[in-house]
Amino acid sequence: MAVPQTDEQIEILKCHAQIVMIEAVAGSGKTTTLAMLVKQALTRGMGAHQIQCLCFSEGANKRFREKLYEEGVTRPVPLNTVEAYARECLAQLGEALTLEKTRYYASDEELRPHLVAAANSVLARYEGRAGRIDNGFDFSFEKNSANAEEMFSLLYRFKASLASHRFHDEELDYDDLDQLATQFGTQIEAVEIGIAYERQRQTYPGEYKWRSAADLVPDLVELLSNHPSALEILPVKGLYLIDEWHDINAAEFRLLQLLLRGNNLVAVGDRYQIINSARGADIVYSTAGFEMAFPNAQYLPLGKSYRFGSSLSKLAQRLTARKCASHEDLYTEIKRLTYDPTLSGDCAAKVTQQVQALVKARADTRYSDIAIIVREPDQTIEIENLLLDQNIPYYCDDIESYLHRPEILMLRGLLHMAGNSFATLQGDKESIKRMVMGFSLYLPVGESSEDWERGYFAEGTWFEEAQRMIAEQPNALKDFFEAVLCKPRDTDDDMTLRWKQRFTDVVEELQKLNKGSSAAELLNFANRQLSLVDATSRAFINRSRATSAAKSIQTFIAFATRHPEMNAADFLAELHLRQQKVSKNRNAIQSRRQLTLTTIQAAKGRQWPHVLVPYLQQHEFPRLRDIAEEVRHFYVAMTRAISSLSLFEPDEEHAGQRSVLMDRVRK
């Protein structure tokens, strides 16, 4: 049902300016206002196809769609993330211009071989230069995930800023390279690797061998800039409505300038919600950059929150040190709950207790009114297990259940092989797919294996065929492990050969230990012998993801330890039952009656009557060294709440372990 319009929203709806920037605070109705504008445009006769709604995350996309429904917009209005819209445009242009199809990579792990090739080509040039001065630059991206992460992060910054568009200029000289290195705070060798990577990627101007999500917008900008006539192929939109404008980067800003073509733009944002700095989000495009690009733009405020009460606005004000106002009639209860951080699972137990208390307190409170918002996915494991144990219905929103994560499925795969028991995998294609992915992260096959893959598999890539074979016959997992992942190859270096042998030895020992050992004992043995924390840091390029995966492994093993009576087969059967429950929770109709378990990044742009934020302790939240970034994350998490906000921190006895973020909001 449509909500009553506020005075500020009425002024926005009355505005006839071509370019409008709405400067908002959290909970002020940003997305609702855009939905109102969509409804108004349709009512005035604009076709749905002439409107384009855009945002920068799947969470914001979902919220926008919900608001359109609430405002009574029944016609299908185009709504995409900017990346998804760029991908659609590239596909349309590729077909119209008969461009070669481009392979799409979904992860940095898949891109790593291309980065290694680019680095090796630069290293070869350096080694061939007479009088070369070694400045200590580390070219080891194949085995060093930390190095690879840093380089990918730099590549994304090159792309987000559009600096990568200069990389195809054959006339780039040393001074240009030095200037780029200074601009991005890196070494010249890193710039040269970026150039080599982009030149390997491009076959002809506007055509690429591969791309990832980070390439979608820059590639579209380059295509439209180099071929202005291509713009005419894309449909003209009379009105662009952009939510969460504060997340925009240079490439996206330039794309919107190209797409506008003299038509209308309404952007709404809150500069204090920038939590996408890793993707190049820059406040300049909400301030001076916007003013320069659109000098005649009209600025209108949404300055009062209609989501939460003054108690929460005061909390947000203390956290961010900026003014935050709420509507006078609203009230939000703030609860600070404590747990013992030395007691495994205690925080999760207190969270589930609070969930039950909220449901029991009011007859009209449903589980779907509650969201548990965590900083990182690894923090869901203990919570998920207790929710399952207590039959509290939940679904994971825009994150994977821990049972489907590759690092956990790799551990489950070890237990399957240890007990030679594969029954619970029968027909479970999704788990098998992710299990193969998990093993391939820890035992990478690499691009150089194409020839021998064809000898082992009948058709398709090794990845596709492994999934198909194991899905048809689950015990083929053992053959896949031995004959593919751990088989020594002529191209393997000494370190890789030792690692394969170590993995093989561990599996053989697990099979010997299986008969008289619990699942927990087997997992602890594998964890020690494989040094899984170190192995995980090598397997995942992104350090934040690696840290989260390592924590997931530790928490998963701790869960197994609480069930010492279960052997490998029993534990796998228990996990299978839990997975079946989680799968049922994916049903869209069921999800309307379920609690939401999500991350801060996914929760952005959304709201719930009751929000719970757990693990407010050192090394859990904050996770990053950049406290300013963590403050913004905390601000986004707490301002999702409407009626109540529950914050969970270590008890008085362990006050020294409390998060520094809580120090900012404590009276």
Side-chain angles (χ1 to χ4, degrees):
M1 185 176 69
V3 299
Q5 297 169 1
T6 67
D7 291 341
E8 290 177 326
Q9 288 171 334
I10 290 171
E11 288 302 310
I12 291 168
L13 290 167
K14 286 163 56 178
C15 180
H16 296 290
Q18 180 186 349
I19 308 294
V20 178
M21 168 61 80
I22 303 171
E23 299 178 304
V25 299
S28 58
K30 298 188 296 294
T31 314
T32 297
T33 303
L34 293 181
M36 289 175 177
L37 286 165
V38 170
K39 184 178 180 179
Q40 178 176 268
L42 293 172
T43 302
R44 291 178 175 176
M46 181 176 282
H49 66 282
Q50 294 178 286
I51 301 171
Q52 181 62 57
C53 303
L54 293 169
C55 48
F56 300 92
S57 70
E58 289 300 334
N61 186 295
K62 184 173 183 178
R63 180 64 177 164
F64 205 149
R65 203 167 293 283
E66 290 171 353
K67 287 303 179 183
L68 287 171
Y69 176 79
E70 290 173 11
E71 285 299 311
V73 177
T74 56
R75 293 162 66 183
V77 176
L79 169 60
N80 309 84
T81 64
V82 176
E83 285 179 355
Y85 184 60
R87 194 170 184 179
E88 281 186 12
C89 292
L90 284 166
Q92 189 174 350
L93 292 172
E95 185 175 345
L97 300 173
T98 63
L99 303 177
E100 289 291 327
K101 286 189 176 180
T102 303
R103 183 174 181 179
Y104 186 80
Y105 290 113
S107 71
D108 288 347
E109 282 73 28
E110 294 175 287
L111 291 167
R112 194 202 297 244
H114 297 297
L115 175 62
V116 171
N120 287 342
S121 69
V122 174
L123 178 60
R125 290 203 307 270
Y126 268 81
E127 289 176 338
R129 290 177 186 174
R132 177 198 169 211
I133 299 174
D134 187 355
N135 65 356
F137 186 85
D138 189 350
F139 285 87
S140 58
F141 297 114
E142 187 168 14
K143 297 290 189 286
N144 191 326
S145 290
N147 272 12
E149 183 201 13
E150 290 290 343
M151 192 62 221
F152 274 123
S153 176
L154 183 61
L155 278 172
Y156 300 152
R157 288 166 57 205
F158 287 152
K159 296 170 190 289
S161 67
L162 296 180
S164 58
H165 286 184
R166 298 181 59 192
F167 292 174
H168 304 295
D169 183 356
E170 297 292 342
E171 295 184 4
L172 280 175
D173 59 21
Y174 182 86
D175 288 339
D176 295 319
L177 298 180
D178 186 53
Q179 182 185 47
L180 284 165
T182 302
Q183 178 185 344
F184 288 92
T186 189
Q187 294 172 269
I188 286 179
E189 290 89 340
V191 177
E192 290 185 286
I193 291 170
I195 292 170
Y197 179 90
E198 283 300 292
R199 289 181 179 178
Q200 285 179 10
R201 200 170 69 85
Q202 188 180 67
T203 51
Y204 301 100
E207 296 189 49
Y208 300 90
K209 296 177 184 176
W210 74 85
R211 63 169 55 102
S212 67
D215 298 305
L216 293 167
V217 174
D219 285 1
L220 180 55
V221 169
E222 183 173 37
L223 186 59
L224 296 176
S225 299
N226 293 341
H227 307 281
S229 60
L231 193 59
E232 302 307 315
I233 298 170
L234 300 176
V236 177
K237 304 288 184 174
L239 175 61
Y240 285 88
L241 297 153
I242 319 296
D243 200 7
E244 309 286 345
W245 181 270
H246 43 264
D247 283 334
I248 200 166
N249 61 35
E252 292 158 340
F253 189 77
R254 179 58 186 147
L255 176 60
L256 286 166
Q257 285 182 293
L258 289 168
L259 293 173
L260 271 179
R261 290 177 272 185
N263 290 297
N264 296 329
L265 166 70
V266 180
V268 60
D270 174 1
R271 65 186 70 175
Y272 290 91
Q273 290 194 51
I274 298 177
I275 60 172
N276 278 333
S277 58
R279 60 183 295 281
D282 194 331
I283 195 172
V284 72
Y285 299 111
S286 297
T287 52
F290 191 89
E291 293 170 8
M292 290 179 65
F294 307 111
N296 298 319
Q298 186 163 345
Y299 295 80
L300 296 170
L302 281 174
K304 183 178 287 188
S305 178
Y306 291 82
R307 177 183 298 161
F308 45 78
S310 61
S311 56
L312 182 44
S313 63
K314 289 176 182 176
L315 209 67
Q317 187 166 308
R318 286 199 292 271
L319 180 68
T320 61
R322 69 128 175 189
K323 187 176 181 180
C324 184
S326 296
H327 191 275
E328 297 79 6
D329 296 335
L330 297 177
Y331 174 73
T332 304
E333 183 179 10
I334 309 294
K335 297 180 181 179
R336 293 182 176 87
L337 304 169
T338 62
Y339 61 91
D340 183 350
T342 65
L343 185 60
S344 178
D346 194 45
C347 182
K350 297 296 169 58
V351 167
T352 54
Q353 288 172 18
Q354 179 62 5
V355 168
Q356 298 286 35
L358 287 168
V359 172
K360 291 177 182 177
R362 291 177 59 96
D364 60 346
T365 299
R366 299 166 297 179
Y367 286 117
S368 58
D369 294 328
I370 303 170
I372 301 172
I373 303 178
V374 298
R375 178 63 178 88
E376 292 293 336
D378 60 88
Q379 295 170 337
T380 70
I381 296 180
E382 291 179 338
I383 295 172
E384 279 195 73
N385 281 324
L386 280 177
L387 291 173
L388 290 167
D389 289 341
Q390 298 175 26
N391 292 314
I392 297 174
Y394 76 96
Y395 80 107
C396 295
D397 186 10
D398 206 33
I399 56 171
E400 294 176 321
S401 166
Y402 83 89
L403 292 161
H404 297 123
R405 292 174 198 159
E407 64 271 17
I408 301 303
L409 281 163
M410 183 273 296
L411 292 176
R412 290 170 67 180
L414 290 178
L415 291 179
H416 280 295
M417 289 188 289
N420 198 33
S421 172
F422 305 95
T424 57
L425 285 178
Q426 193 69 47
D428 191 356
K429 293 182 179 180
E430 185 64 24
S431 291
I432 288 168
K433 176 181 178 181
R434 294 170 184 271
M435 192 173 289
V436 171
M437 182 188 301
F439 274 116
S440 68
L441 286 171
Y442 288 85
L443 289 159
V445 175
E447 293 285 323
S448 61
S449 55
E450 289 182 359
D451 291 336
W452 62 262
E453 286 162 14
R454 293 193 188 95
Y456 184 77
F457 295 120
E459 58 184 20
T461 67
W462 73 268
F463 189 78
E464 293 165 347
E465 283 301 300
Q467 293 172 40
R468 182 187 61 78
M469 290 173 61
I470 299 168
E472 290 177 358
Q473 191 174 359
N475 61 8
L477 175 66
K478 188 169 180 288
D479 295 331
F480 168 69
F481 178 80
E482 294 173 351
V484 178
L485 294 178
C486 288
K487 184 176 180 179
R489 300 292 160 189
D490 293 339
T491 54
D492 291 340
D493 58 24
D494 289 343
M495 180 179 175
T496 300
L497 289 171
R498 287 195 300 271
W499 177 239
K500 286 183 176 181
Q501 188 59 52
R502 188 174 172 187
F503 231 107
T504 301
D505 293 344
V506 167
V507 171
E508 289 177 355
E509 191 63 29
L510 287 173
Q511 291 168 341
K512 294 176 185 177
L513 294 170
N514 177 64
K515 190 172 182 179
S517 302
S518 68
E521 289 170 333
L522 295 176
L523 289 171
N524 274 303
F525 174 81
N527 184 34
R528 290 193 304 272
Q529 296 302 311
L530 293 172
S531 304
L532 285 178
V533 172
D534 292 337
T536 300
S537 71
R538 295 191 298 271
F540 293 91
I541 290 173
N542 182 279
R543 274 177 289 183
S544 175
R545 177 69 179 92
T547 299
S548 185
K551 284 178 174 285
S552 289
I553 288 170
Q554 298 300 329
T555 308
F556 179 70
I557 293 174
F559 170 60
T561 303
R562 291 198 289 274
H563 296 276
E565 75 286 357
M566 291 186 179
N567 60 23
D570 293 337
F571 189 60
L572 288 169
E574 174 63 25
L575 293 174
H576 183 63
L577 289 174
R578 289 172 181 266
Q579 186 171 310
Q580 287 180 316
K581 285 186 179 182
V582 172
S583 296
K584 288 180 182 178
N585 290 349
R586 291 180 177 180
N587 183 285
I589 296 175
Q590 291 288 337
S591 69
R592 297 173 189 169
R593 299 191 291 270
Q594 295 168 351
L595 172 152
T596 300
L597 183 58
T598 190
T599 62
I600 295 170
Q601 191 69 56
K604 198 161 175 284
R606 305 188 64 201
Q607 63 182 25
W608 292 268
H610 307 285
V611 168
L612 291 73
V613 183
Y615 300 109
L616 285 161
Q617 70 180 74
Q618 292 178 19
H619 310 301
E620 291 289 345
F621 192 2
R623 280 283 177 95
L624 302 176
R625 294 179 180 178
D626 185 350
I627 294 299
E629 176 100 350
E630 293 296 290
V631 164
R632 292 193 293 271
H633 273 82
F634 193 25
Y635 171 79
V636 170
M638 67 166 58
T639 55
R640 303 307 96 195
I642 300 172
S643 300
S644 77
L645 172 67
S646 300
L647 304 172
F648 297 81
E649 64 177 346
D651 55 27
E652 197 63 40
E653 187 177 347
H654 304 91
Q657 296 186 39
R658 288 174 176 169
S659 170
V660 295
L661 298 173
M662 288 297 286
D663 293 339
R664 289 174 174 252
V665 299
R666 215 179 303 279
K667 290 182 179 179

